[in-house]
Amino acid sequence: MIVEIDTGSGFCFGVTTAIQKAEETLANGGKLYCLGDIVHNGMECDRLRDMGLITIEHEELSHLHDATVLLRAHGEPPSTYELARKNNITIIDATCPVVLALQKRIKKKYDDIDTSQRPTDIVIFGKNGHAEVLGLVGQTEGKAIVLEHASDVEKLDFSHNIYLYSQTTKSLDEFHQIIDFCQRHIEPGATFQSFDTICRQVANRMPNICEFATKHDLILFVSGRKSSNGKVLFNACLQQNHNSHLIEGPEEIDAKWLEGIKSVGICGATSTPKWLMEKCQEEVEKITQQ
């Protein structure tokens, strides 16, 4: 049996940098907190917890003083930085450069809005409650409109000026559907502008992973089930190869899936560590050698 790991899968640049910063700080013996899961992958979070990383939520941050806190790649709203200054918290900022640039663009547009003119909406295509989206909405004092799905675009008021952005890991196709709808429905005199802020390192994985999925009899897509990017990429695999399974780790591999299979492709999300895909490869080989 052929068992191949997709070379294009695994951590994106932002996640890799955040994990490296955590490992370096912990290796120096420092006590380090992380605001939220450093990555949407339970097994990688467990590995870093064993190294000493302490994951906290925003409610706990307000009670923390004189500590060191890592901000993960997803980014944070301005209120987090203000609270850190107030509580004498040292920030290790691992916000992805792509996300950071997007935050700055949205904040500048929000600050430049002339409230005496036509009403203006800043719209973000993204998942409600997602860490990155919370950070983006925070740049607008909570006033940005979030569209979770392309169909939500119908709820917009097209008599307003509309400035459209996207969470960095959303589907490029759906984003273009929203743009097309806005262009067709914007009212005369109102302005519509869209800004393609989808990370190309993530977006380019879509065609690559679709091609990879067609090469094998069975696809094992390794991802944490909380990963938004993982859901998008897995669904793309499933469309190309109906014999695709989403698993979080090697223990979820069902031996029945491998019956009569000649080739297995293993791939994953931007939050999937390479070592975990390798563990899944080892498990497949172990099952097939029994």
Side-chain angles (χ1 to χ4, degrees), residues 9-11 39-45 127 205 209 219-235 237 244-253 257 265-278 280:
S9 290
F11 289 154
V39 63
H40 288 150
N41 185 280
M43 295 183 75
E44 180 66 3
C45 288
K127 181 181 178 183
R205 292 193 181 192
I209 213 161
I219 293 294
L220 297 177
F221 188 89
V222 189
S223 172
R225 290 185 170 85
K226 291 195 291 183
S227 170
S228 297
N229 164 255
K231 290 174 185 175
V232 171
L233 290 176
F234 172 67
N235 285 331
C237 281
S244 297
H245 298 273
L246 174 64
I247 60 172
E248 290 201 337
E251 69 284 349
E252 294 185 14
I253 298 172
W257 298 344
I266 299 174
C267 49
T270 57
S271 53
T272 304
K274 185 180 178 182
W275 65 262
L276 185 53
M277 288 186 283
E278 290 172 345
C280 292

Side-chain angles (χ1 to χ4, degrees), residues 76-91:
E76 285 291 324
S79 57
T80 298
Y81 295 88
E82 292 166 12
L83 179 60
R85 284 192 293 270
K86 177 183 173 184
N87 288 6
N88 195 34
I89 291 171
T90 300
I91 291 291

Side-chain angles (χ1 to χ4, degrees), residues 106-126:
I106 290 176
K107 185 177 187 330
K108 184 177 188 308
K109 179 60 69 176
Y110 177 74
D111 290 344
D112 289 346
I113 290 175
D114 186 348
T115 55
S116 67
Q117 301 300 314
R118 181 185 293 268
T120 297
D121 293 329
I122 290 178
V123 179
I124 299 167
F125 174 42

